[in-house]
């Protein structure tokens, strides 16, 4: 559950904002009777499906990245700290990188990388 909240917190917040807008719009006087129930139901179902699908795709990619790293393959991670120079960094076991709880760390690099933001090279 912690992993779900960590990975999907931004999308959950956006979903709550969309639900609030749906609630506001469906309670206006110009909306038909029953619009509140129908609108909230369908928007909730669609958002739940999309957020769940995103979580499934992300966790599958994380498993693929972690398996490839443990097999000695090179992993590419996005570096948000260095936007102007190198936008990605190559992670490899032979360069001293370690994977623990889905986080790549190295004593030679200042910041960690989450495996959810990486792909196999």
């Amino acid at each position: 559950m912690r992993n779900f909240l960590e990975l999907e917190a931004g999308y959950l917040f956006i979903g709550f904002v969309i639900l609030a807008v749906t609630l506001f719009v469906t309670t206006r006087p110009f909306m038909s009777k029953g619009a509140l129930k129908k609108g909230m139901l369908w928007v909730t179902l669609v958002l739940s499906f999309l957020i769940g699908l995103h979580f499934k795709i992300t966790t599958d990619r994380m498993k693929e990245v972690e398996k490839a790293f443990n097999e000695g393959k090179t992993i590419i991670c996005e570096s948000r700290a260095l936007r102007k120079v190198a936008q990605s960094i190559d992670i490899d076991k032979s360069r001293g990188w370690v994977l623990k709880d889905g986080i790549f760390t190295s004593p030679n690099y200042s910041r960690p990388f989450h495996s959810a933001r990486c792909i196999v090279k």
Side-chain angles (χ1 to χ4, degrees):
M1 185 64 167
R2 183 185 134 270
N3 204 18
F4 177 76
L5 292 176
E6 180 182 339
L7 294 172
E8 302 300 319
Y11 297 109
L12 290 172
F13 177 76
I14 292 168
F16 285 126
V17 169
I18 291 170
L19 283 173
V21 170
T22 303
L23 179 67
F24 178 78
V25 171
T26 57
T27 56
R28 299 299 96 202
F30 56 84
M31 295 299 292
S32 65
K33 231 178 188 186
L36 175 63
K37 282 184 183 177
K38 290 178 190 174
M40 292 300 284
L41 173 71
W42 285 106
V43 170
T44 300
L45 287 174
V46 168
L47 288 173
S48 298
F49 173 75
L50 292 175
I51 290 171
L53 182 64
H54 182 266
F55 179 70
K56 171 86 171 95
I57 291 169
T58 301
T59 53
D60 287 348
R61 186 178 65 245
M62 286 171 61
K63 289 175 190 170
E64 178 186 338
V65 164
E66 291 170 9
K67 181 182 174 193
F69 177 77
N70 289 327
E71 291 174 355
K73 296 181 181 174
T74 302
I75 307 300
I76 301 173
C77 290
E78 177 186 23
S79 178
R80 294 182 178 177
L82 304 171
R83 281 291 190 195
K84 293 180 182 174
V85 183
Q87 292 187 355
S88 64
I89 186 164
D90 290 347
I91 292 177
D92 196 335
K93 269 188 176 182
S94 64
R95 295 182 188 155
W97 287 91
V98 179
L99 174 64
K100 183 178 179 187
D101 297 327
I103 306 292
F104 292 107
T105 56
S106 172
N108 303 323
Y109 200 78
S110 61
R111 67 181 291 265
F113 293 93
H114 199 288
S115 62
R117 307 294 174 243
C118 302
I119 59 171
V120 179
K121 186 171 185 179

